[in-house]
């Protein structure tokens, strides 16, 4: 379709050798120029240390070349399999109102898919529910989900007057198995987006109203100068506030960094496949969630409240709560109840920069408090004197407390 073609062989591509790429052309001058650009400005037939262009060392290693060559031998069979799978999927999608797979042009004899694209007509929103049903029918092991915009999306992006309307429309017409969203709030200069907790509350309420589990995608990188790379305590803060709001799933953006010098080590795994700065942090957090998970998965959020300066869209902890904390300490307090009726309080330090230590007071019908350990999930009794306990929380950290009561609260 042009004078020169370019193909990426990076790790996520249809044909991959881990990193690198190739160009094709039938123009000898262009071929010579492309060779020179990838070979630090040298040209064939000239002395080794002559440099004819300002260029870089973009040479693929012999090992990568060998892998790429072997991959080309497998490509025809893999392409046929992909196309057969795409035709099977396409036949099912065409039965869903509002979902339009791309038309195949008659001159296209073979389609080598990288992404599978289709059009979705928003005026027939109901098609999303049928699409989810069809995907679930074809692959019952892996639940399909659609990740929603955050509250800072525009009205044009949402297609509704308010974010709450967007959630209600999506849940009632699409019937999703999971309510997933992202809200990347960590901006440059230490600024946090002000509607982070408002978004959490709207998602929490919508999930409870429709009995759909909620997921949050955590900001785990920087992709522009306006967005900062999260620190260890900011990663913990995002995860633990999500758990306090009763969310059942945590994902990360991104797991694997893209090939960009400025942000090459920004993700959990860097762009060479090696563990990045956040890898041990996420490993630790995932281990803690595995320990707390058996308890949290049985719980339903009954309310989430704040102390200290109250963020936009959040609610202040009231005097009649089962647990009281000093009003000036910035905390998130999530109350939960498990399927046996046991009461829990998830207390999180809302300050992702500084630790806090404070005294919490419990109502008189609370006869004991245990902390569900983030190390092994076991109950650890806390000393309670005159219905008061002492809590220390590292920056962004939280504790899940099981409240033993004389009667139902």
């Amino acid at each position: 379709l042009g004078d020169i073609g370019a193909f990426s062989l990076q790790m996520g591509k249809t044909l991959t050798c881990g990193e690198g790429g190739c160009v094709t052309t039938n123009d000898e001058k262009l071929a010579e120029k492309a060779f020179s650009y990838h070979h630090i400005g040298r040209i064939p037939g000239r002395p080794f240390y002559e440099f004819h262009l300002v260029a870089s060392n973009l040479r693929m290693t012999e090992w990568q070349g060998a892998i790429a060559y072997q991959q080309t031998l497998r490509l025809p069979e893999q392409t046929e399999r992909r196309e057969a799978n795409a035709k099977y999927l396409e036949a099912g999608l065409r039965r869903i109102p509002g979902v339009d797979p791309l038309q195949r042009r008659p001159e296209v004899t073979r389609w080598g898919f990288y992404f599978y694209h289709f059009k979705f007509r928003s005026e027939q929103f109901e098609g999303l529910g049928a699409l989810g049903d069809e995907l679930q029918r074809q692959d019952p092991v892996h639940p399909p989900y659609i990740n929603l915009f955050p509250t800072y999306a525009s009205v044009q992006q949402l297609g509704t007057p308010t974010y709450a309307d967007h959630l209600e429309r999506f849940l009632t017409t699409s019937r999703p198995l999971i309510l997933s969203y992202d809200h990347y709030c960590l901006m440059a200069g230490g600024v946090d987006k002000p509607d982070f907790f408002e978004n959490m509350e709207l998602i929490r309420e919508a999930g409870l109203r429709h009995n759909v589990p909620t997921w949050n995608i955590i900001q785990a990188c920087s992709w522009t100068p306006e967005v900062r790379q999260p620190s260890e305590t900011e990663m913990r803060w995002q995860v633990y506030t999500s758990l306090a709001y009763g969310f059942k799933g945590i994902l990360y953006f991104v797991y694997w960094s893209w090939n960009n010098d400025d942000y090459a080590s920004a993700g959990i795994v860097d762009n060479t496949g090696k563990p990045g700065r956040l890898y041990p942090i996420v490993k630790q957090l995932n281990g803690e969630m595995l320990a707390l998970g058996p308890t949290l998965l049985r719980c339903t959020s009954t309310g989430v409240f704040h102390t200290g300066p109250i963020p936009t869209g959040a609610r202040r902890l009231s005097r009649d709560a089962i647990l009281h904390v000093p009003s000036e300490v910035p905390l998130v307090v999530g109350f939960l109840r498990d399927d046996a009726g046991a009461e829990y309080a998830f207390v999180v330090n809302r300050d992702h920069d500084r630790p806090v230590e404070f005294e919490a007071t419990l109502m008189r019908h609370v006869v004991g408090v245990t902390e569900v350990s983030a190390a092994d999930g076991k109950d650890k009794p806390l000393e309670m004197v005159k219905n008061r306990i002492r809590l220390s929380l590292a920056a962004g950290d939280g504790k899940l407390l099981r409240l033993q009561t004389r009667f139902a609260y």
Side-chain angles (χ1 to χ4, degrees):
L1 297 178
D3 294 319
I4 193 166
F7 300 86
S8 173
L9 306 182
Q10 185 244 8
M11 81 288 180
K13 300 301 188 294
T14 304
L15 189 155
T16 177
C17 63
E19 190 59 88
C22 59
V23 297
T24 58
T25 182
N26 56 6
D27 186 311
E28 290 187 8
K29 290 185 177 180
L30 285 177
E32 182 177 294
K33 183 173 285 188
F35 177 85
S36 184
Y37 270 124
H38 105 295
H39 192 42
I40 59 175
R42 296 167 180 162
I43 60 175
R46 298 298 303 170
F48 185 69
Y49 281 107
E50 284 188 5
F51 304 96
H52 297 261
L53 294 172
V54 177
S56 297
N57 176 5
L58 303 173
R59 298 184 296 258
M60 184 185 290
T61 65
E62 291 183 355
W63 185 90
Q64 288 172 302
I67 295 294
Y69 174 71
Q70 288 297 318
Q71 292 281 62
T72 62
L73 303 181
R74 303 168 58 199
L75 185 61
E77 184 273 331
Q78 291 176 340
T79 301
E80 290 180 4
R81 188 187 309 169
R82 286 191 186 95
E83 186 162 31
N85 289 341
K87 287 179 178 178
Y88 178 77
L89 177 61
E90 182 180 307
L93 294 180
R94 290 199 182 280
R95 299 197 297 266
I96 302 172
V99 178
D100 298 328
L102 294 180
Q103 294 291 334
R104 290 170 175 256
R105 298 181 63 87
E107 63 267 28
V108 176
T109 58
R110 186 167 55 178
W111 205 337
F113 287 93
Y114 176 45
F115 288 121
Y116 185 87
H117 294 88
F118 59 88
K119 294 181 180 179
F120 174 73
R121 286 180 268 121
S122 59
E123 66 271 16
Q124 292 185 272
F125 211 100
E126 292 80 1
L128 277 178
L131 173 60
D133 293 342
E134 178 66 17
L135 293 174
Q136 185 73 356
R137 184 186 69 79
Q138 294 194 27
D139 183 2
V141 176
H142 302 97
Y145 72 96
I146 297 170
N147 194 59
L148 296 188
F149 284 121
T151 44
Y152 50 83
S154 67
V155 171
Q156 288 74 25
Q157 289 174 310
L158 297 176
T160 55
T162 69
Y163 190 77
D165 292 335
H166 179 73
L167 292 178
E168 189 63 22
R169 183 184 179 195
F170 172 72
L171 287 161
T172 54
T173 58
S174 302
R175 310 182 309 278
L177 298 174
I178 296 155
L179 178 57
S180 174
Y181 85 113
D182 55 50
H183 187 118
Y184 305 134
C185 73
L186 303 175
M187 309 305 291
V191 176
D192 299 341
K193 283 186 180 292
D195 52 344
F196 179 71
F197 291 106
E198 179 181 25
N199 206 154
M200 276 191 169
E201 182 61 25
L202 288 166
I203 291 288
R204 185 191 79 89
E205 290 177 346
L208 290 173
R209 193 164 56 249
H210 290 267
N211 195 29
V212 176
T214 48
W215 289 4
N216 193 5
I217 299 182
I218 300 300
Q219 178 182 333
C221 71
S222 170
W223 56 94
T224 174
E226 288 75 33
V227 178
R228 71 182 186 266
Q229 291 197 31
S231 66
E232 176 179 358
T233 57
E234 288 167 344
M235 291 293 294
R236 179 169 294 277
W237 174 78
Q238 291 181 87
V239 168
Y240 270 79
T241 53
S242 299
L243 298 179
Y245 270 79
F247 292 176
K248 304 300 184 187
I250 297 294
L251 297 86
Y252 302 94
F253 178 80
V254 291
Y255 289 91
W256 192 307
S257 299
W258 50 91
N259 189 18
N260 182 311
D261 290 340
D262 292 335
Y263 306 106
S265 61
I268 299 167
V269 176
D270 70 18
N271 64 349
T272 68
K274 297 178 181 178
R277 176 182 63 87
L278 292 179
Y279 185 91
I281 299 169
V282 170
K283 183 178 179 181
Q284 175 67 30
L285 289 170
N286 286 349
E288 294 174 15
M289 285 187 280
L290 281 174
L292 297 174
T295 298
L296 291 175
L297 287 174
R298 295 187 294 106
C299 289
T300 300
S301 175
T302 58
V304 182
F305 305 92
H306 290 245
T307 56
I310 305 303
T312 301
R315 292 178 290 176
R316 185 180 298 279
L317 184 66
S318 64
R319 289 182 169 273
D320 60 351
I322 192 173
L323 177 143
H324 296 273
V325 294
S327 60
E328 70 277 6
V329 180
L331 300 171
V332 180
V333 182
F335 294 109
L336 308 104
R337 183 178 296 120
D338 70 14
D339 48 15
E343 301 288 343
Y344 296 82
F346 210 136
V347 184
V348 179
N349 180 2
R350 206 178 66 232
D351 191 329
H352 49 57
D353 297 319
R354 289 171 289 274
V356 293
E357 186 173 348
F358 57 93
E359 190 175 72
T361 305
L362 297 115
M363 284 197 164
R364 292 188 178 278
H365 69 284
V366 178
V367 295
V369 180
T370 58
E371 177 188 348
V372 182
S373 171
D376 55 18
K378 296 180 180 179
D379 280 7
K380 182 175 68 175
L382 298 182
E383 182 181 10
M384 184 170 66
V385 179
K386 296 182 179 180
N387 280 72
R388 295 179 179 179
I389 58 174
R390 194 79 189 168
L391 294 176
S392 297
L393 297 173
D397 201 10
K399 290 186 178 181
L400 178 60
L401 308 178
R402 191 194 311 269
L403 310 179
Q404 301 162 14
T405 60
R406 288 194 183 94
F407 52 83
Y409 179 68

